[in-house]
Amino acid sequence: MQIIVVGAGITGVATALTLARAGQSVTLIDRLAPGDPGQTSFGNAGILASAGVVPVSVPGLLSKVPRMWLDRDGPVYFRLSHLPRFLPWLRPFLSHATADGVRRIASGLGPLVIDSLDQHLALARGTKAERFIERGHYVFLYRSRADFEKDAFGWQIRREQGIVWEEWDRAALADRDPFLSAHFQFAAAPGGHGWITWPAAYIAALAEAFAEAGGQFRQAEIVDLVPEENARARVTLAGGETLSADRAILCAGVWSGRLAAKLGHNAMLEAERGYHVTFEGASHRPPSPYMMTEAKLGVTPMEPGLRVAGLAEFAGLDAPAAEAPLAQIRRQLHRLYPNLEWDSASEWMGQRPSTPDSLPLMGSSPTAPCFLFAFGGQHLGLTMGPKLAQLVSAEALGRGSNLDLAPYAVDRFD
């Protein structure tokens, strides 16, 4: 079978590699090379967040929005100029901020993220990418046990999805990480997690394994998708060249929305822009990733140093990066490690593909079954990438799945 995979982030590369290993003739297409700084997968926090089953839209969120808007140390940034285009997405997003809505979303996220470490290990086994996977706790830092107890609903949702954790007091935290600021007096630490020690190199190594398995990478931009009369998929590249295949799988992250519209689908994607600063040569690093729960920032030990990543900015797909989120990351790092030193620092902004219900679009297009979708992983794109690849590859090959795919239906926003 001839298959085109559109998009060379984690989901696209994992899909292409999975299909090439299954003996298919696969062409991976992206305007950027795998691991390029322009790829969203380049700049993530690197955390395989199996505990990430709780969506952002939780009960009480609406009442917090005005304070988030005004708080310079809040986790969310808005640009007023984007508000008219943002509201049609925001309204259904907030409609899910109920107990029932959160449980429904968590039930959809759970099967995609719970076994993330195992999925990545299976995908990378026997490749150069394998060395970039580490195992350990994912530590949620709180100022106090009382602050942790304020998050009881979220931890109850995690428990319902099978997540278990240890609870550490200040003494346990200091014993594990003596450099950690006394600002943090309590932590909840789910075990069985993993992280990627250098996401760019990891994606590039998986792409190399894809090439070794017989796959072909084309660096090009796709501008149109058309189902042919013989049930094949045709893609048009910038410049006019067309390619035809038995199946085409759209894994282009937030840019997938514009292409899905060519097939008549409203993907309802919003660019949930995330930021990071990587501190090369950091004088110390945590033993495993931290989540700073107040600021919603992930802190990850990586090969070049220490990466602090997260926040969410809603400003549209094409707006330039802002300075305020980057400044906040530096302030929060000082709160975490007051005496940290480093050699240099690099800054980055990327576009997470987020849907109103925090679930990806995955499966065949009802209007053009030769096209399949696998995108919309929001801030869990790295975590769920290999699982999405496994599911969409099985569907492309007609093998089906024992997982109910209805929550990820590609036409649910049409």
Side-chain angles (χ1 to χ4, degrees):
M1 183 179 289
Q2 294 178 316
I3 300 176
I4 293 172
V5 177
V6 183
I10 178 58
T11 303
V13 170
T15 300
L17 177 55
T18 299
L19 289 165
R21 284 173 170 170
Q24 310 307 310
S25 175
V26 185
T27 300
L28 175 65
I29 302 176
D30 198 312
R31 61 187 178 86
L32 300 173
D36 187 279
Q39 297 276 8
T40 302
S41 295
F42 173 92
N44 54 67
I47 303 168
L48 306 182
S50 299
V53 295
V54 183
V56 176
S57 53
V58 295
L61 177 64
L62 181 59
S63 64
K64 297 177 182 178
V65 168
R67 180 169 57 84
M68 288 181 179
W69 199 318
L70 298 172
D71 184 1
R72 75 168 191 158
D73 285 332
V76 180
Y77 294 81
F78 302 93
R79 294 200 193 182
L80 284 173
S81 59
H82 181 58
L83 193 58
R85 287 188 293 171
F86 180 50
L87 283 175
W89 184 92
L90 181 63
R91 290 190 187 100
F93 173 79
L94 292 174
S95 74
H96 296 290
T98 66
D100 287 344
V102 170
R103 285 190 164 89
R104 183 171 59 253
I105 293 168
S107 294
L109 289 175
L112 302 181
V113 304
I114 293 296
D115 62 346
S116 176
L117 176 58
D118 290 340
Q119 292 289 331
H120 277 269
L121 288 170
L123 182 69
R125 188 169 295 120
T127 75
K128 294 178 183 177
E130 196 170 10
R131 76 174 185 88
F132 297 106
I133 303 176
E134 288 286 351
R135 304 167 178 82
H137 288 85
Y138 181 20
V139 183
F140 289 69
L141 295 173
Y142 290 90
R143 288 185 302 172
S144 65
R145 174 177 280 278
D147 282 350
F148 164 71
E149 290 171 351
K150 291 176 184 177
D151 276 354
F153 176 69
W155 288 100
Q156 175 61 32
I157 295 298
R158 292 186 179 94
R159 180 180 287 111
E160 291 171 6
Q161 292 297 317
I163 302 295
V164 297
W165 62 90
E166 300 173 16
E167 297 180 2
W168 298 342
D169 60 14
R170 175 61 197 173
L173 284 169
D175 182 64
R176 187 174 183 270
D177 184 358
F179 299 102
L180 182 67
S181 165
H183 178 83
F184 301 98
Q185 295 285 316
F186 185 83
H193 277 63
W195 72 97
I196 306 301
T197 60
W198 195 228
Y202 178 69
I203 303 295
L206 290 173
E208 183 179 334
F210 164 66
E212 292 171 352
Q216 179 186 10
F217 174 67
R218 287 283 306 271
Q219 192 158 347
E221 182 179 2
I222 291 180
V223 296
D224 200 10
L225 310 176
V226 178
E228 297 180 336
E229 292 183 0
N230 57 1
R232 285 171 62 85
R234 184 171 79 243
V235 304
T236 303
L237 308 182
E241 181 183 358
T242 61
L243 302 174
S244 181
D246 298 295
R247 300 285 186 273
I249 304 176
L250 187 54
C251 308
V254 73
W255 293 274
S256 300
R258 295 173 178 175
L259 291 174
K262 305 286 187 181
L263 302 174
H265 293 296
N266 179 10
M268 283 289 282
L269 283 182
E270 177 64 33
E272 182 191 337
R273 295 147 56 98
Y275 288 78
H276 88 220
V277 182
T278 301
F279 299 88
E280 290 90 359
S283 56
H284 42 269
R285 315 173 198 185
S288 64
Y290 288 147
M291 168 52 64
M292 299 176 69
T293 56
E294 289 176 272
K296 303 296 188 291
L297 284 170
V299 182
T300 311
M302 292 192 174
E303 289 194 5
L306 183 67
R307 175 171 292 179
V308 184
L311 306 179
E313 182 192 30
F314 296 98
L317 185 56
D318 301 315
E323 289 298 324
L326 294 166
Q328 186 190 162
I329 285 175
R330 292 175 179 270
R331 289 195 303 274
Q332 295 293 346
L333 177 65
H334 182 73
R335 177 174 289 177
L336 182 79
Y337 286 136
N339 300 315
L340 186 74
E341 298 178 354
W342 59 86
D343 298 329
S344 60
S346 59
E347 301 175 341
W348 178 90
M349 184 276 290
Q351 317 271 10
R352 307 184 192 102
S354 294
T355 61
D357 61 5
S358 303
L359 295 172
L361 279 70
M362 205 291 300
S364 301
S365 164
T367 60
C370 54
F371 287 95
L372 297 93
F373 295 175
F375 58 82
Q378 27 112 12
H379 55 276
L380 295 171
L382 177 69
T383 300
M384 68 174 66
K387 189 58 172 279
L388 281 183
Q390 181 191 84
L391 291 169
V392 77
S393 296
E395 182 152 342
L397 299 176
R399 296 176 179 172
S401 169
N402 59 2
L403 177 65
D404 179 11
L405 303 181
Y408 324 116
V410 306
D411 59 347
R412 66 185 188 273
F413 302 122
D414 288 355

